[in-house]
């Protein structure tokens, strides 16, 4: 069910009038629905049941500590892109082993903090980042768990400006060099190859781009394993479309989490991997 709706022309959140909230707290203000957040997380969790999946909330979407605490209490992990987001996720109660560090431009200090915290995985965006992480981890006498963000050259997203998976986009390692870069990582002492990461964009309105990208990644996993890499985890990023019209309108819905999860399960089932 929807927890935001119009009644007699007035927007309500969980049966409470937004006008009433405005009178109580003043304007402007942000209104979040705990019921909505719980519902969305549970819908994804139920859709992915049996798939050994960690649902990691993208902290950059909303780093409000109350939101993070609610999701942590529901068992969600966190996808962070900075040291500040890492600290917020930990403060909110997300276990370090449920945190993935994504994003470009990680500093050595941020890498060190994430290593010391014991996070699940670094999603490495480039060779320079790989070498920096190797240095930081080696200085600590540990090996950092990594996945490379690969660029599958698949166009997706509601606008070309939010597509992140085409060859010309500035994210991830080039598809033609993936196996070479994984081989380089395997020779380093300070990193430990564990997975593959992909993120093709936001506001995606159909499943076809996801399926093309995930199928390419599944084939890559088999090739990497043949090269001797112990790939045990796939981080499958990208955002299902969100409706921005009338909350009560019967607009054409984006793909459902159930349909998305069924597609993911079909593709990854033969691989025996965990999912993020």
């Amino acid at each position: 069910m929807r927890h935001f709706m119009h009644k007699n022309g007035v927007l309500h959140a969980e049966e409470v009038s937004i006008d009433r909230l405005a009178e109580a707290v003043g304007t402007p203000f942000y209104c979040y629905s705990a019921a909505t957040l719980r519902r969305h997380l549970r819908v994804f969790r139920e859709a992915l049941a049996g798939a050994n999946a960690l649902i990691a909330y993208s902290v950059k979407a909303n780093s409000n500590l109350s939101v993070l605490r609610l999701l942590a209490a529901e068992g969600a992990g966190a996808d962070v892109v900075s040291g500040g987001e890492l600290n917020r996720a930990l403060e909110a109660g997300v276990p370090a082993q449920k945190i993935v560090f994504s994003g470009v431009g990680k500093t050595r200090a941020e890498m060190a903090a994430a290593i010391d915290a014991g996070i699940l995985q670094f999603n490495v965006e480039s060779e320079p980042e790989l070498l920096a992480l190797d240095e930081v981890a080696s200085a600590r006498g540990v090996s950092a768990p990594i996945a490379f963000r690969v660029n599958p050259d698949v166009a997706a997203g509601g606008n070309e400006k939010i597509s992140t998976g085409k060859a010309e986009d500035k994210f991830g390692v080039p598809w033609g060099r993936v196996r070479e870069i994984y081989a380089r990582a395997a020779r380093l002492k300070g990193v430990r190859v564990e997975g593959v990461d992909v993120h093709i964009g936001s506001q995606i309105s159909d499943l076809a781009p996801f399926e093309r990208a995930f199928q390419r990644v599944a084939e890559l996993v088999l090739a990497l394993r043949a090269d001797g890499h112990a790939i045990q985890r796939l981080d499958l990023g990208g955002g299902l479309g969100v409706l921005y019209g009338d909350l009560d309108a019967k607009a054409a819905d984006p793909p459902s989490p159930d349909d998305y999860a069924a597609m993911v399960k079909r593709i990854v089932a033969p691989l025996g991997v965990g999912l993020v």
Side-chain angles (χ1 to χ4, degrees):
M1 65 175 292
R2 296 183 188 274
H3 294 284
F4 286 94
M5 64 195 73
H6 288 97
K7 292 186 177 181
N8 299 320
V10 177
L11 183 63
H12 285 64
E14 298 183 28
E15 305 296 327
V16 179
S17 161
I18 297 297
D19 289 355
R20 181 174 147 201
L21 293 177
E23 291 172 1
V25 304
T27 60
F29 70 98
Y30 291 98
C31 175
Y32 306 115
S33 163
T36 294
L37 295 171
R38 290 190 182 98
R39 175 185 178 274
H40 289 339
L41 179 58
R42 289 170 182 174
V43 164
F44 256 96
R45 178 181 292 127
E46 290 166 6
L48 288 162
N52 186 22
L54 167 66
I55 300 174
Y57 174 69
S58 180
V59 176
K60 68 182 177 183
N62 188 333
S63 61
N64 181 297
L65 277 172
S66 293
V67 169
L68 299 182
R69 288 188 180 108
L70 183 152
L71 294 170
E74 288 287 319
D79 182 287
V80 305
V81 297
S82 71
E85 289 187 5
L86 171 65
N87 290 338
R88 278 180 170 262
L90 292 170
E91 182 179 344
V94 179
Q97 267 296 304
K98 289 186 175 182
I99 296 177
V100 175
F101 201 150
S102 300
V104 298
K106 304 177 186 72
T107 67
R108 283 173 167 78
E110 289 172 328
M111 293 173 180
I115 290 170
D116 292 346
I119 68 167
L120 175 67
Q121 176 175 293
F122 287 87
N123 287 337
V124 176
E125 289 263 358
S126 67
E127 288 179 275
E129 180 186 328
L130 170 69
L131 298 179
L133 181 59
D134 174 61
E135 289 177 7
V136 173
S138 295
R140 282 168 154 66
V142 299
S143 60
I146 70 165
F148 281 103
R149 177 175 177 176
V150 300
N151 186 317
D153 194 16
V154 172
N159 184 289
E160 65 177 12
K161 302 300 185 184
I162 55 175
S163 173
T164 61
K166 302 195 302 293
E168 61 266 31
D169 293 332
K170 61 184 182 296
F171 299 99
V173 299
W175 189 257
R177 298 193 59 226
V178 170
R179 293 173 76 174
E180 171 193 344
I181 291 171
Y182 268 88
R184 184 175 190 182
R187 295 192 293 269
L188 300 175
K189 301 294 187 184
V191 295
R192 184 173 70 255
V193 170
E194 293 191 353
V196 178
D197 171 46
V198 64
H199 189 297
I200 60 172
S202 302
Q203 195 59 13
I204 298 173
S205 58
D206 66 84
L207 292 178
F210 283 121
E211 185 156 4
R212 288 196 297 273
F214 296 168
Q215 188 62 56
R216 295 201 81 184
V217 169
E219 293 166 1
L220 174 63
V221 168
L222 297 178
L224 290 173
R225 285 175 172 171
D227 291 342
H229 304 289
I231 304 298
Q232 56 184 287
R233 188 162 48 246
L234 292 182
D235 188 328
L236 302 178
L240 290 174
V242 177
L243 293 176
Y244 284 103
D246 187 335
L247 291 173
D248 299 320
K250 286 291 185 181
D253 286 339
S256 73
D258 283 338
D259 291 341
Y260 169 85
M263 177 270 294
V264 168
K265 289 178 181 179
R266 172 169 48 80
I267 291 174
V268 306
L271 302 176
V273 291
L275 298 176
V276 181

